[in-house]
Amino acid sequence: MIKTGNPVISIYTEMTPNPETMKFVANKLLYPGKSIDFPDADSAKPSPLATELFGFPFIKAVFIASNFVTLTKTADAEWMDVTPSIRQFLKDYLEEGKPVINEDEIVEIKKESSNEVLADDDDVVKRIKELLENYVKPAVEMDGGAIQFKSYDDGVVNLMMQGSCSGCPSSMITLKAGIEGMMKRMIPEVKEVVAEAE
């Protein structure tokens, strides 16, 4: 029997460079143009979806962005064993039209941890944020993660790794060889790029 009303949702998975994370991609926008990181169950209150995902005993962290969810599992779980049940859960959840994020419950995330250019940003910070938004964001989203600007001080850019980037063995290479190299070339004031520990 064909149900009418809600669209059919398909979910596919993508491996990420981080063996502990898996990217679950939907054919529907979950959080258009934005991303939000839930490093633990206590932080997931604004997201009914994340709250339910933390109900799986092997889920350690949830990251939601435009059309995907990146999940971090506990070391004792195998993706091969748990992926089918998560895919089915996400498909059912989204087909039922349940809410992903309750915007009004999100405590205004600290302005300094955003790549959005603000009126009071100085010229260097504006260029850093634009570079992150235009070059870094699309690349790391492909791997199921995000990198947020935290601060710039005396040549040092401080970034926060989220989703699959958080705790990824290759994230430091991405940060140092990729992002730091590009920033130093494009923004001469930048001397070093560091990741803030979660």
Side-chain angles (χ1 to χ4, degrees):
M1 188 170 118
I2 296 172
K3 286 191 292 183
T4 56
N6 291 338
V8 174
I9 299 292
S10 66
I11 305 284
Y12 69 90
T13 55
E14 287 181 3
M15 298 293 294
T16 72
N18 184 346
E20 298 301 315
T21 68
M22 180 75 74
K23 183 175 169 185
F24 292 81
V25 185
N27 61 339
K28 169 187 167 71
L29 285 174
L30 308 177
Y31 201 35
K34 297 180 185 175
S35 66
I36 189 162
D37 197 33
F38 301 109
D40 53 46
D42 294 340
S43 64
K45 190 176 175 292
S47 172
L49 174 59
T51 300
E52 287 200 36
L53 283 164
F54 277 113
F56 287 95
F58 49 82
I59 296 296
K60 236 172 50 173
V62 176
F63 174 76
I64 300 172
S66 50
N67 69 330
F68 67 88
V69 177
T70 299
L71 300 176
T72 306
K73 67 172 182 62
T74 56
D76 58 347
E78 292 297 329
W79 281 123
M80 204 171 61
D81 300 333
V82 301
T83 298
S85 56
I86 296 171
R87 280 179 58 186
Q88 191 60 51
F89 164 78
L90 288 169
K91 179 177 168 47
D92 294 344
Y93 187 96
L94 296 172
E95 281 180 351
E96 289 170 27
K98 292 180 177 177
V100 175
I101 305 282
N102 290 330
E103 282 287 345
D104 51 346
E105 285 188 37
I106 295 176
V107 179
E108 189 58 40
I109 296 168
K110 296 182 285 306
K111 282 291 181 213
E112 69 268 12
S113 68
S114 165
N115 297 341
E116 189 181 322
V117 175
L118 305 173
D120 57 354
D121 286 342
D122 69 28
D123 181 55
V124 176
V125 170
K126 281 182 182 149
R127 288 184 292 159
I128 291 168
K129 287 181 174 181
E130 285 167 0
L131 193 138
L132 286 170
E133 195 63 25
N134 297 328
Y135 297 99
V136 176
K137 182 181 174 185
V140 296
E141 276 192 356
M142 284 176 61
D143 287 336
I147 295 178
Q148 294 289 332
F149 174 82
K150 289 297 285 179
S151 63
Y152 170 76
D153 186 39
D154 199 26
V156 178
V157 178
N158 198 336
L159 302 175
M160 186 170 69
M161 313 295 249
Q162 297 178 316
S164 64
C165 297
S166 178
C168 175
S170 61
S171 66
M172 284 306 119
I173 298 164
T174 302
L175 188 74
K176 289 294 182 187
I179 299 169
E180 183 176 276
M182 182 172 51
M183 282 203 182
K184 284 177 170 177
R185 280 193 312 276
M186 297 173 84
I187 306 170
E189 294 88 344
V190 173
K191 304 288 178 256
E192 186 184 10
V193 175
V194 296
E196 181 171 277
E198 290 278 334

